[in-house]
Amino acid sequence: MRAAVSRAVMALAIACLGEHRREWARAMRAEFDAAAEDGKPLMFAIGCLTASWRAMPTHEEGRFVLTNYALALGLMVPMAALQIGCAVFGFPYLYPGQDGLRGALMAGGAQELLLRGVYQAAVPSLTALLLLLGLGHLRIAWVMLERDWSRVTSMGTRIMAAAATLIIFMTALFLDSSQAVLQTAVLAIELAVLTLLARWHAQLFPPASPEDLAR
């Protein structure tokens, strides 16, 4: 078990070095093998990982990786949790201070009283749209870490369509869609940032030329 953990930590350290430090990675791997023979692979692997993390902000590829992870884990995952939690717990974010969608319906006027049955029938559809948005954010976070920008764009287009559908649906039911509009605006900003991140990745890792592939 200790050996497996050591190899995993070492693999992470090498991955953090980036493509431009392959020689350093090879040297670290050779030294790791020697440390493993001496019975101290884990401490050596942890030291390598710490050194790799310290070096990441000093080169562009490392800054790209840190930015990518920060956006995926610090923005996409929390947004997914917000939207999934909103759907599961009765839309508390879309209707703050009103006990969610149920409280908003109970507090409505005569028009809402007449349409309450329609509203209640629409709740599963609203829930499904919010779940789709949340799961879409989780999927985008995953493919961001895989650096598959074509799939990021595809998923972004789909969840933007879901967000627009949610707003149209709520507006048609005479529900307050201000919070949904705010979420959609945040989503548009997210997609713009992802576009910039994809361009940055393309500059760092341009596609191989036919001559390089022939080699």
Side-chain angles (χ1 to χ4, degrees):
M1 181 65 180
R2 186 183 182 89
V5 173
S6 301
R7 287 193 295 270
V9 173
M10 193 63 199
L12 180 59
I14 290 174
C16 291
L17 288 176
E19 293 294 329
H20 74 295
R21 298 197 173 183
R22 292 181 182 177
E23 295 301 325
W24 189 12
R26 292 193 187 97
M28 287 173 59
R29 190 182 296 276
E31 293 179 15
F32 173 75
D33 294 337
E37 293 177 358
D38 293 338
K40 299 180 180 179
L42 183 57
M43 292 300 298
F44 180 81
I46 292 174
C48 290
L49 180 60
T50 302
S52 298
W53 281 347
R54 288 178 177 174
M56 288 182 74
T58 65
H59 55 91
E60 188 174 7
E61 184 180 348
R63 291 191 291 271
F64 170 82
V65 171
L66 290 174
T67 303
N68 194 26
Y69 272 83
L71 289 174
L73 302 180
L75 179 61
M76 295 300 170
V77 173
M79 282 295 295
L82 174 66
Q83 289 161 339
I84 293 173
C86 190
V88 171
F89 295 109
F91 307 88
Y93 179 71
L94 292 182
Y95 296 95
Q98 297 183 3
D99 192 25
L101 181 59
R102 181 179 299 176
L105 296 179
M106 295 300 293
Q111 184 180 34
E112 284 77 6
L113 291 174
L114 292 174
L115 296 176
R116 184 169 297 168
V118 177
Y119 289 165
Q120 291 173 347
V123 167
S125 298
L126 293 172
T127 302
L129 286 170
L130 274 173
L131 287 175
L132 181 61
L133 287 171
L135 295 175
H137 272 85
L138 286 179
R139 184 59 179 166
I140 285 179
W142 182 268
V143 294
M144 280 177 65
L145 299 182
E146 292 182 339
R147 303 182 187 181
D148 189 343
W149 301 108
S150 61
R151 292 166 68 190
V152 168
T153 302
S154 176
M155 287 301 305
T157 302
R158 292 176 185 177
I159 64 173
M160 180 61 80
T165 303
L166 178 64
I167 293 174
I168 294 171
F169 198 15
M170 294 177 68
T171 303
L173 293 173
F174 303 102
L175 294 173
D176 181 9
S177 60
S178 58
Q179 292 296 330
V181 171
L182 177 60
Q183 286 192 24
T184 303
V186 172
L187 175 58
I189 295 172
E190 291 173 357
L191 296 181
V193 172
L194 291 179
T195 300
L196 295 176
L197 196 63
R199 292 178 181 175
W200 188 7
H201 180 264
Q203 292 174 357
L204 283 175
F205 306 100
S209 64
E211 291 78 9
D212 293 334
L213 293 175
R215 295 174 186 175

